[in-house]
Amino acid sequence: MPDEHPESFKRPRISTPGFLQRDAWPLTACLLIAALAIACQYPSLHAPFVREDMDRFAQNPQTHLEQKDRAKLPGFLTGPRPLTMASFAVNHILGGPGTTGYHAVNITVHALSGIFLFLCLLALLSSPGLAGIYKARRLFAFAGAALWAANPVQTQAVAQVSQRVLSMQAMFVILAVLLYARARLSGGALTKAALFTGTALAGTAALLTRETAVILPALLWLHEAFFVQNLSSRWLRRWSWLFPVCLAAPAALVFLVRSGAFSPWTSLFYPPDGMSGITRFLTGFRVLWVVFGLFLYPHPSRLSLDHAVFPSRSLLDPATTLPAVLATVLLLSLAVVHAREKKIFSFAVFWFVTALALDALLLPLDLAIEPFAYLPSMMAAPALVLLAGRIFRARASRFVLLCLGLAVLIPWSAIRSSIYRVPSMLLRDSVYKEPFIPRPHYSLGTALLRQGAVSGKTKREALKELERALALDPKYPGAHESLGIALAEAGRSAEAEARFREALEIRPTPGARTSLASMLAAQGRLDEALLEYKRAIGQEPGFVQAYASAARVLSRMNRQEEAFDLLEKAIALSPEDPGVNSDYGTALLRLGKREAAVRQFERLVRLAPGSPDALSSLGQALAFNGRPREAEEALKKALAIAPRHFLANSSLGLLLAGGGDYARALPYLEAAAHINPRDAEALNNLAAVLAKLGRYEEALAYFEKAQEKSPEDSNIRAQIALVRHMLGRE
């Protein structure tokens, strides 16, 4: 039969671009999900450490490993959360103390989590229980993973470095579910065995990341029941007992943590909050709905580092407890009743409740709430996508709806992520949104104090925030301790001591003891300070800073041998800590071990090659050891790095003056006196060199300033008398 349409009249065939072809779509989708996950969280890439990050990483020498320390990484496997802590140590090895590397890893984990979720959803929608039901499964899987990755509620789990523990655990959990799903779909024995092995390895990695991954077997049981066995009555009758067994390990974890077992790491990750079991159980229902509400409507104005979730004392206190319980029971009942015809919805409900329950029962309510949503929401997002797909059946309308959703969520995530670049703004945002809970005020006050040399206005603001935290909760131990530190810096010692002792009465932590001891030492109450340091060491034998601080007190008491013994213990605990190594070198000098001191400070320079403190200490040790040229070279290197370094200027000036070169010594001693005009010794040294140069009027003025700072110093009085004699003013 002849062709009715000549070749010239045939409609041209439009070829599908390669990246949209069916075989290329999974890879394209993975790249798109990774790109949008990175785009959402990129603004936080260069953000500094914030809140818990400071104590766990910025000021934790245990994670400060260098390139030469790579052999120590296996040692992390014997501690709590070994994979998480090892990842932080690797960050420091590769990038040092800068935060960019930490954030890059967190963003990468988020992107991988989105990719694994997409592949997992593809596997779920291809399972026997859903075969042929969802024709647009690729679009549904992509939409579910993309909307989950772009949701702003995930920001805190990514932008706050310490929350990597949650995001990395979720990444391994969803990878384990993906591999298990693929194993159940696989027909080859070798492939199946490899996938099951991968499931076990991913599950082990999740458990080594965070102990709450013990919930994984329960999640795998849910997958098996819904998508492999198709909720077969026969299978359920035979294997339903296994689900409570899978929940036994999480229940045991809750019991052990709340009973204080495995201390002290349980108190670090799960600080006690005084809540009874029934109070925590009832409050968990409200936590569930708070988390779901934040996921459902994650506008930046609703997101905060802290959320006010007050304890439920009974079903009626607060009034939202009973509605939360009833709503949860109703939701679970609907999931059970409609499990066979609405598998994705029912599975998502059970996944959400099961994945969230453990955190709701374990963590104190004043800790971060938003990261709780990271793992539970992985199945909530696709369930909502499928619900929208039932309402909007046209392919074009579904695509437009997805684009609109991403167009809203991506800017919201970028806005929320960008605020992490300015910690003070982030913390003030939390205070503004949640003014009636103590933690935001405590966090802001503590952060303001940590800024170092701050203005009087900033210190007043810090005091105000800490006092506000205590007004909201008079038993908040951290606020008492931080307020004590602020008061001590302001010279209000009696009030500071009262705060420290109040903190110790509420919760006698080693940190509070060392804060009190530091203030006592500054007051000259050395015996009391030493006692508190020893108590802190007794509570936490690995507390390196307590050993070092106690050694300084012993040195001031002229008990140099005892100080040296404590520093040897500190070095054994933390051999790479620059501060401890510096104190150890100083102790060697005081014991007259000058050659050993030089070697120690040379080691310190290797540990911290760009540190002016290390170079200055080395210069001092070389000078004491009779090596003036090398000492001068080291001190000049320190000044090249930090021209206003007090110790380097003072030491170089004294070195040159000791060699009789008073003219060259003068500018360095002048710099030291100007850098620290309250230091009597610096003023005295400058005055002595001026006198040697015959500039008696200036010398007398500086000697008199030195006497004002140290009126009991007989040597300064003698120098003043001598200069007055030279001026004829006896």
Side-chain angles (χ1 to χ4, degrees):
M1 183 176 178
D3 194 341
E4 295 181 357
H5 302 283
E7 188 68 22
S8 58
F9 291 97
K10 283 186 178 180
R11 183 175 296 175
R13 187 172 184 178
I14 301 174
S15 61
T16 305
F19 70 92
L20 289 179
Q21 291 177 6
R22 290 180 63 84
D23 292 340
W25 170 240
L27 176 59
T28 304
C30 289
L31 294 175
L32 288 173
I33 290 167
L36 72 89
I38 293 169
C40 289
Q41 302 302 329
Y42 179 79
S44 67
L45 181 62
H46 302 293
F49 290 125
V50 63
R51 210 156 72 174
E52 293 90 353
D53 301 345
M54 298 299 295
D55 295 324
R56 295 184 184 176
F57 315 118
Q59 298 173 356
N60 183 4
Q62 293 182 353
T63 62
H64 293 180
L65 301 188
E66 308 294 339
Q67 285 283 352
K68 60 183 178 300
D69 304 318
R70 285 173 292 181
K72 296 181 180 179
L73 284 175
F76 282 92
L77 297 177
T78 60
R81 298 181 176 177
L83 205 55
T84 306
M85 299 308 294
S87 75
F88 291 130
V90 169
N91 266 135
H92 198 277
I93 287 173
L94 298 179
T99 60
T100 301
Y102 290 88
H103 287 293
V105 171
N106 279 24
I107 294 171
T108 302
V109 167
H110 184 54
L112 288 173
S113 298
I115 291 171
F116 294 155
L117 177 58
F118 165 70
L119 296 174
C120 183
L121 293 174
L122 273 182
L124 295 185
L125 294 171
S126 304
S127 62
L130 296 175
I133 296 177
Y134 298 101
K135 295 180 180 179
R137 61 186 183 88
R138 291 174 181 246
L139 178 61
F140 283 144
F142 173 76
L147 292 172
W148 173 85
N151 195 302
V153 80
Q154 320 299 0
T155 300
Q156 189 175 352
V158 182
Q160 188 175 353
V161 172
S162 58
Q163 297 300 340
R164 181 188 301 175
V165 66
L166 280 160
S167 59
M168 196 159 78
Q169 175 207 14
M171 178 188 72
F172 286 124
V173 166
I174 199 65
L175 176 60
V177 176
L178 163 63
L179 294 173
Y180 183 84
R182 297 301 304 171
R184 299 300 280 144
L185 291 172
S186 174
L190 285 176
T191 304
K192 191 182 289 287
L195 290 169
F196 278 133
T197 302
T199 302
L201 291 174
T204 302
L207 194 60
L208 293 175
T209 300
R210 190 168 183 253
E211 57 286 343
T212 52
V214 293
I215 206 71
L216 176 60
L219 300 177
L220 293 178
W221 186 95
L222 289 171
H223 171 273
E224 180 73 17
F226 275 86
F227 303 116
V228 179
Q229 304 300 331
N230 201 20
L231 294 173
S232 161
S233 298
R234 181 180 176 184
W235 186 88
L236 288 173
R237 282 194 301 270
R238 186 177 180 185
W239 296 104
S240 58
W241 60 270
L242 190 57
F243 187 64
V245 171
C246 291
L247 294 176
L253 178 63
V254 171
F255 173 77
L256 291 171
V257 167
R258 287 298 148 205
S259 65
F262 307 128
S263 187
W265 73 263
T266 50
S267 61
L268 174 63
F269 298 128
Y270 305 104
D273 54 9
M275 289 172 60
S276 67
I278 188 64
T279 297
R280 179 169 289 282
F281 177 73
L282 291 174
T283 308
F285 290 97
R286 291 172 44 240
V287 170
L288 185 150
W289 289 103
V290 168
V291 171
F292 182 70
L294 291 170
F295 172 75
L296 199 60
Y297 180 50
H299 190 275
S301 64
R302 301 188 69 235
L303 302 180
S304 173
L305 281 177
D306 304 279
H307 292 272
V309 182
F310 297 102
S312 293
R313 307 297 178 187
S314 70
L315 284 171
L316 301 177
D317 179 20
T320 53
T321 303
L322 183 57
V325 173
L326 294 175
T328 305
V329 172
L330 177 62
L331 185 66
L332 289 171
S333 301
L334 289 172
V336 171
V337 171
H338 298 284
R340 284 189 168 85
E341 63 266 27
K342 292 181 172 60
K343 287 189 178 67
I344 293 290
F345 165 77
S346 296
F347 177 73
V349 169
F350 284 115
W351 175 287
F352 192 91
V353 174
T354 304
L356 181 58
L358 200 53
D359 280 326
L361 292 173
L362 280 176
L363 290 169
L365 297 181
D366 65 348
L367 293 185
I369 292 288
E370 289 169 23
F372 288 5
Y374 200 83
L375 177 60
S377 63
M378 282 183 163
M379 292 300 160
L384 293 174
V385 167
L386 291 175
L387 177 63
R390 289 181 178 273
I391 299 171
F392 300 91
R393 294 189 174 274
R395 189 180 184 89
S397 61
R398 290 173 175 175
F399 183 74
V400 170
L401 190 63
L402 171 60
C403 291
L404 286 175
L406 292 175
V408 170
L409 292 177
I410 292 173
W412 284 3
S413 287
I415 290 169
R416 184 62 190 165
S417 179
S418 64
I419 197 174
Y420 280 80
R421 291 183 298 190
V422 187
S424 60
M425 185 185 298
L426 177 68
L427 296 171
R428 286 189 172 92
D429 172 77
S430 184
V431 168
Y432 173 76
K433 290 173 179 174
E434 297 293 353
F436 301 114
I437 55 177
R439 185 173 172 81
H441 298 280
Y442 162 72
S443 298
L444 177 57
T446 304
L448 291 172
L449 289 177
R450 279 174 167 166
Q451 290 180 8
V454 296
S455 66
K457 181 180 178 181
T458 304
K459 287 183 178 178
R460 287 192 297 272
E461 184 184 2
L463 287 169
K464 178 183 174 183
E465 293 299 332
L466 293 169
E467 288 168 350
R468 178 62 176 160
L470 288 172
L472 291 166
D473 182 2
K475 296 296 184 181
Y476 202 116
H480 280 290
E481 183 183 346
S482 293
L483 185 55
I485 293 171
L487 291 168
E489 290 178 354
R492 296 158 62 178
S493 302
E495 297 172 76
E497 184 175 349
R499 293 297 181 183
F500 289 136
R501 296 198 183 279
E502 181 74 16
L504 288 170
E505 186 176 338
I506 298 166
R507 190 188 302 165
T509 63
R513 290 199 183 282
T514 55
S515 296
L516 172 60
S518 178
M519 189 210 70
L520 293 171
Q523 290 181 310
R525 297 159 63 182
L526 302 182
D527 288 321
E528 295 174 73
L530 184 60
L531 178 61
E532 292 299 334
Y533 281 130
K534 287 184 175 179
R535 285 174 175 170
I537 292 169
Q539 279 185 267
E540 189 177 333
F543 195 176
V544 175
Q545 296 309 317
Y547 284 99
S549 299
R552 293 188 201 108
V553 170
L554 285 167
S555 180
R556 288 175 61 185
M557 298 169 75
N558 205 28
R559 293 159 62 178
Q560 306 299 343
E561 292 288 349
E562 293 176 71
F564 184 75
D565 290 342
L566 282 181
L567 286 169
E568 283 193 317
K569 292 177 181 177
I571 284 282
L573 288 168
S574 185
E576 313 302 329
D577 187 309
V580 174
N581 276 276
S582 178
D583 289 346
Y584 188 62
T586 303
L588 288 168
L589 276 179
R590 286 174 177 151
L591 290 172
K593 301 177 180 180
R594 295 180 178 180
E595 285 289 349
V598 169
R599 290 194 297 272
Q600 176 61 26
F601 285 123
E602 286 174 342
R603 181 173 185 273
L604 177 61
V605 170
R606 290 194 296 273
L607 285 173
S611 168
D613 292 335
L615 288 164
S616 298
S617 297
L618 175 60
Q620 273 193 325
L622 289 166
F624 285 136
N625 211 36
R627 295 157 67 177
R629 290 185 180 177
E630 296 169 77
E632 183 176 348
E633 182 182 350
L635 292 168
K636 284 184 175 179
K637 284 182 181 178
L639 289 173
I641 298 168
R644 290 185 54 78
H645 194 276
F646 173 75
L647 180 60
N649 277 288
S650 178
S651 299
L652 184 53
L654 289 173
L655 176 68
L656 294 171
D661 198 342
Y662 302 116
R664 286 181 62 208
L666 182 61
Y668 297 109
L669 294 174
E670 284 178 330
H674 290 144
I675 293 166
N676 192 357
R678 299 189 177 204
D679 189 287
E681 187 176 353
L683 295 167
N684 182 67
N685 292 336
L686 174 58
V689 167
L690 286 168
K692 289 288 185 181
L693 292 171
R695 296 161 62 174
Y696 298 117
E697 290 286 355
E698 296 170 82
L700 180 59
Y702 279 108
F703 275 132
E704 288 174 345
K705 287 181 181 179
Q707 188 178 36
E708 289 176 14
K709 308 301 178 188
S710 183
E712 305 301 322
D713 193 318
S714 58
N715 179 58
I716 296 176
R717 287 199 301 272
Q719 293 291 336
I720 289 174
L722 180 61
V723 172
R724 282 179 174 168
H725 173 74
M726 298 299 294
L727 290 170
R729 299 180 187 174
E730 295 183 50

